[in-house]
Amino acid sequence: MLEWKRDSHGETALLVEGARRVGKSTIVRQFALNEYRSCAVFDFAKASEEEKSLFDDLSDMDYFFNSLRLLKGITLYERDTVIVFDEVQKCPVARQAIKTLVEDGRYDYIETGSLISIHKNVEDIIIPSEEEVLEMHPLDYEEFLWATGDESTMGLLRDAFQRKRGFGDAVNRKLMRDFRLYMLVGGMPQAVSKYLETKDLAAVDKVKRAIIRLYCNDFQKIDKTGKAMDLFMSIPSQLAGNSNRYRPSTVIDKTRPGQLEDLIFLMDDSKTVNVCYHANDPNVGFNLTANRSAFKMFLEDTGLFVTLAFWDKDFTENIIYQKLLNDKLAVNLGYVYENVVAQMIRTSGNHLFYYTFPDRNRHSFEVDFLLSRSSKIDPIEVKSDGYNTHASIDAFCEKYSPRIGQKYIVCTKDLRKDGETLFVPVYMAGLL
């Protein structure tokens, strides 16, 4: 945000996109207070009709700004005032006004929004090209550590990753236990705050359930068929089924041509999920050969994923959380680790792709994630156990050897290098 303020010189508005309850409004308002002499905030989730009607006529900019001063009761300082449009998707005419306001050039503008690109919210307006988009995600692991008062661990992890030297089994066990706490609490600000306030994982779970219900209500509003909500709620079971793709036909009735793609776009656009597409030709430029009908789906926040996985209970009992925290629960947690790795890769600025191909016995090899690095591909396989066998990634690297950079096994063990394979503990996955 500081880079945008410094570099744009008012020539673009900043649009901060993210899921509901991810903290967009809080951080934008704090930024406005810290970096500007004055700010005016339009909260379109509860704005009056008088506030919304202000944007109906921008033919006289002096009149507009005088009306804004009176309405908000603030002083506007040229090039030192920011005007915030919070939840701008609820007032499309205000979003359209960004073009004219930016061209006027007197002040800066920041928008926040969820489900920004849903067609019904923009079908009657001209979307401004003067927007610079910034995605906001739940707290990543480093930010979670900061919240708990730990400002040193991540620096040590970066140093160890660069040197390709681990910490030893005893320290790794402690680091894994710390990381599993992040997996359970997640990165949604309300959940993190509740944990810091109470240290009660059952109380944290109630917060996360309220967020999930909010998401479900949102899906029902924008998709009256209920199919998007069903697809969302079925993410844990789809991953637990150990299939190499999400199988919508097991969740919803047959859809008309194009309807499934629209539903997946809607869900992806909500920022509540991370969609991982199959790369038909695993080479740099994955988007060129991405198969939009073959995909896996993860929750944006692994803390929410854990709660959704145990949705069959009225609440997730503390004993379940304690067993998960200590890695003692009798359930295959591989899909939980896969979700958190997807989250960490996506939060680091990468889009998600995977690859499958048949072996000689007509079974399938699967590489969980692919990263494009320079002119090479870095394949990633996620392992919660069985670290000594990694046939899929080995076969992939043999098949596409000229394209391969570094191959990674992301696991729960200490960092180590074995030949051409780097075994990386899951708490370092955001560094790949």
Side-chain angles (χ1 to χ4, degrees):
M1 293 173 74
L2 285 168
E3 289 176 0
W4 162 78
K5 182 176 186 290
R6 181 192 66 211
D7 298 340
S8 73
H9 304 293
E11 294 178 0
T12 61
L14 183 66
L15 171 61
V16 181
E17 288 187 321
R20 295 278 297 277
R21 300 295 173 88
V22 81
K24 302 181 299 297
S25 299
T26 299
I27 201 166
V28 164
R29 292 183 190 213
Q30 191 62 52
F31 177 79
L33 290 172
N34 290 348
E35 302 300 328
Y36 292 88
R37 192 174 176 185
S38 71
C39 68
V41 177
F42 289 87
D43 183 353
F44 292 116
K46 52 186 178 184
S48 67
E49 290 303 316
E50 182 182 10
E51 288 181 305
K52 293 179 181 179
S53 66
L54 189 63
F55 300 93
D56 289 340
D57 184 0
L58 298 181
S59 59
D60 186 338
M61 297 304 296
D62 291 334
Y63 178 81
F64 171 82
F65 289 122
N66 283 328
S67 299
L68 189 153
R69 289 185 182 93
L70 294 171
L71 189 63
K72 293 296 184 180
I74 67 166
T75 302
L76 302 179
Y77 302 94
E78 191 163 331
R79 303 304 318 132
D80 205 9
T81 290
V82 63
I83 300 172
V84 176
F85 294 169
D86 203 4
E87 300 292 349
V88 71
Q89 78 280 358
K90 295 182 179 295
C91 186
V93 68
R95 188 181 180 196
Q96 180 174 258
I98 285 293
K99 180 178 180 62
T100 303
L101 294 171
V102 168
E103 287 176 351
D104 174 79
R106 286 180 240 188
Y107 312 110
D108 283 353
Y109 301 89
I110 303 178
E111 308 162 87
T112 76
S114 309
L115 298 170
I116 284 290
S117 296
I118 299 305
H119 297 304
K120 69 177 183 180
N121 285 337
V122 297
E123 59 185 7
D124 296 324
I125 71 168
I126 299 173
I127 298 176
S129 59
E130 292 77 11
E131 288 176 341
E132 187 171 328
V133 178
L134 182 66
E135 287 190 17
M136 186 170 176
H137 302 277
L139 274 69
D140 65 18
Y141 186 43
E142 182 173 20
E143 292 164 334
F144 179 80
L145 291 174
W146 292 344
T148 62
D150 181 350
E151 297 187 6
S152 61
T153 294
M154 205 65 202
L156 297 173
L157 297 185
R158 284 195 179 92
D159 182 63
F161 181 77
Q162 290 171 359
R163 292 186 295 110
K164 304 295 185 287
R165 292 180 61 185
F167 298 99
D169 291 341
V171 175
N172 179 70
R173 282 194 295 271
K174 191 267 182 189
L175 291 170
M176 276 304 307
R177 191 177 191 277
D178 292 345
F179 184 74
R180 283 195 293 272
L181 177 63
Y182 171 64
M183 292 170 65
L184 295 174
V185 175
M188 301 302 289
Q190 284 180 298
V192 176
S193 294
K194 180 60 69 172
Y195 175 74
L196 297 175
E197 174 192 340
T198 67
K199 298 298 191 291
D200 183 350
L201 291 169
V204 173
D205 187 72
K206 291 180 181 179
V207 170
K208 293 189 293 178
R209 285 175 181 269
I211 294 173
I212 290 172
R213 292 189 183 99
L214 176 68
Y215 289 172
C216 289
N217 289 337
D218 284 346
F219 282 131
Q220 287 180 314
K221 289 176 184 177
I222 59 181
D223 171 41
K224 302 301 184 183
T225 69
K227 291 180 178 180
M229 186 187 71
D230 291 341
L231 291 169
F232 176 81
M233 296 294 290
S234 298
I235 290 174
S237 62
Q238 288 284 324
L239 291 176
N242 204 29
S243 173
N244 60 18
R245 60 185 293 182
Y246 194 113
R247 300 192 179 278
S249 60
T250 64
V251 178
I252 60 176
D253 296 333
K254 187 175 181 180
T255 58
R256 67 177 183 273
Q259 185 183 21
L260 178 61
E261 287 78 5
D262 289 343
L263 288 172
I264 301 307
F265 170 80
L266 181 154
M267 297 174 70
D268 195 18
D269 199 56
S270 74
K271 313 301 180 185
T272 61
V273 302
N274 289 320
V275 182
C276 181
Y277 291 104
H278 189 275
N280 287 349
D281 179 16
N283 209 336
V284 290
F286 298 126
N287 261 321
L288 297 174
T289 61
N291 184 350
R292 302 293 171 179
S293 63
F295 59 88
K296 294 188 289 186
M297 198 183 301
F298 305 93
L299 258 68
E300 166 102 22
D301 181 71
T302 301
L304 296 181
F305 179 89
V306 170
T307 293
L308 192 58
F310 293 97
W311 195 256
D312 57 320
K313 293 180 176 293
D314 289 337
F315 62 93
T316 303
E317 298 166 333
N318 245 325
I319 187 64
I320 293 177
Y321 271 101
Q322 289 300 329
K323 287 186 175 181
L324 279 168
L325 184 61
N326 293 290
D327 208 16
K328 300 295 184 183
L329 192 64
V331 62
N332 177 11
L333 294 182
Y335 56 91
V336 183
Y337 286 109
E338 191 174 353
N339 195 96
V340 78
V341 172
Q343 177 184 345
M344 295 171 82
I345 291 173
R346 184 69 187 89
T347 301
S348 298
N350 306 280
H351 291 280
L352 301 177
F353 299 93
Y354 75 106
Y355 185 67
T356 61
F357 60 104
D359 64 11
R360 295 188 182 95
N361 298 317
R362 295 186 179 180
H363 298 123
S364 287
F365 287 128
E366 179 179 342
V367 179
D368 294 317
F369 301 105
L370 301 170
L371 296 178
S372 176
R373 294 291 180 262
S374 187
S375 61
K376 298 291 185 179
I377 299 169
D378 291 354
I380 301 171
E381 189 169 349
V382 181
K383 292 276 192 180
S384 59
D385 55 19
Y387 318 101
N388 294 324
T389 59
H390 35 83
S392 290
I393 198 168
D394 291 343
F396 176 82
C397 291
E398 181 180 354
K399 182 179 176 69
Y400 295 105
S401 57
R403 306 179 184 180
I404 305 302
Q406 176 65 64
K407 65 177 178 177
Y408 297 103
I409 303 293
V410 176
C411 58
T412 60
K413 297 298 185 182
D414 195 21
L415 180 71
R416 66 183 175 89
K417 191 169 178 63
D418 182 6
E420 299 301 317
T421 303
L422 188 64
F423 289 77
V424 179
V426 64
Y427 48 78
M428 292 186 183
L431 303 177
L432 300 183

